[in-house]
Amino acid sequence: MIGNYLKEPDKYLYGVLNNKEQKIYKNQLHCSIEEAVLFAREDLIVHLPQEITVFIYKRNRIIPSECSNIDTIKIFELLKHSDQILSEKNNFVLSNNKMSSVFSSLPYEKMLELTHIINNFLNDNIDTTGLYKVGEIFGEKRLPRDEYLKYI
């Protein structure tokens, strides 16, 4: 199982364990073992441990709409405050009929449609190249000193 990361390295993220703190160096993961070792370079040179542990995590694609938390409730909250925004920004005076009550008359299906349109727009227009979501831990690899020094 652990050998799969060698065949498909672009599906994983790597982090070197800081032995003193027992966590990944500065909580940063990298796209290759070499990058992860280089990131921890200064500490590794000072302490020269006999071996280091590299944690391997599955790498998932970031989908902007999943991160935005835009749903029908958020859209309704935004629309609900539109009367205040309109009056503050444009000196627009509303009658007793508040804009929020106008927007609240939208059927739920239309709110879902608006949510779908906004989320599709985010997915189509936000470039997530080089950004990844950390998946579950895949495994760990121990590198002896002579092996990790090749990366430094």
Side-chain angles (χ1 to χ4, degrees):
M1 174 180 113
I2 195 71
N4 290 344
Y5 78 93
L6 294 172
K7 295 175 188 167
E8 301 174 302
D10 58 331
K11 291 186 177 184
Y12 302 96
L13 294 170
Y14 308 89
V16 175
L17 179 69
N18 181 332
N19 286 327
K20 283 186 259 174
E21 299 175 13
Q22 289 300 305
K23 62 181 187 177
I24 302 294
Y25 278 93
K26 298 184 182 178
N27 293 320
Q28 293 214 13
L29 298 176
H30 305 273
C31 292
S32 70
I33 292 176
E34 181 178 4
E35 288 175 20
V37 171
L38 280 173
F39 185 76
R41 182 178 192 267
E42 287 181 28
D43 196 53
L44 293 176
I45 289 174
V46 170
H47 296 100
L48 284 173
Q50 288 295 321
E51 72 176 11
I52 62 172
T53 302
V54 177
F55 282 100
I56 304 166
Y57 295 85
K58 288 187 179 180
R59 178 167 79 180
N60 297 321
R61 191 173 142 244
I62 287 182
I63 301 172
S65 62
E66 290 178 359
C67 302
S68 72
N69 291 326
I70 293 180
D71 57 12
T72 54
I73 294 169
K74 295 281 186 198
I75 290 173
F76 183 73
E77 287 174 2
L78 177 68
L79 295 175
K80 186 172 80 173
H81 297 293
S82 63
D83 60 331
Q84 180 182 354
I85 294 167
L86 282 172
S87 60
E88 288 174 359
K89 301 285 182 188
N90 301 318
N91 294 327
F92 184 75
V93 180
L94 296 168
S95 64
N96 291 336
N97 207 6
K98 298 239 184 223
M99 289 298 284
S100 59
S101 63
V102 172
F103 288 124
S104 67
S105 67
L106 275 173
Y108 182 71
E109 293 79 24
K110 291 295 182 185
M111 294 293 276
L112 283 176
E113 184 181 337
L114 181 56
T115 303
H116 184 72
I117 290 168
I118 291 171
N119 285 323
N120 281 343
F121 176 85
L122 294 174
N123 292 340
D124 293 344
N125 293 291
I126 295 177
D127 182 15
T128 58
T129 304
L131 302 174
Y132 308 101
K133 184 168 48 172
V134 178
E136 61 190 42
I137 191 161
F138 182 72
E140 62 181 66
K141 179 168 178 57
R142 297 195 183 278
L143 296 176
R145 182 184 295 156
D146 61 333
E147 195 170 336
Y148 76 76
L149 284 176
K150 293 176 189 175
Y151 298 121
I152 294 180

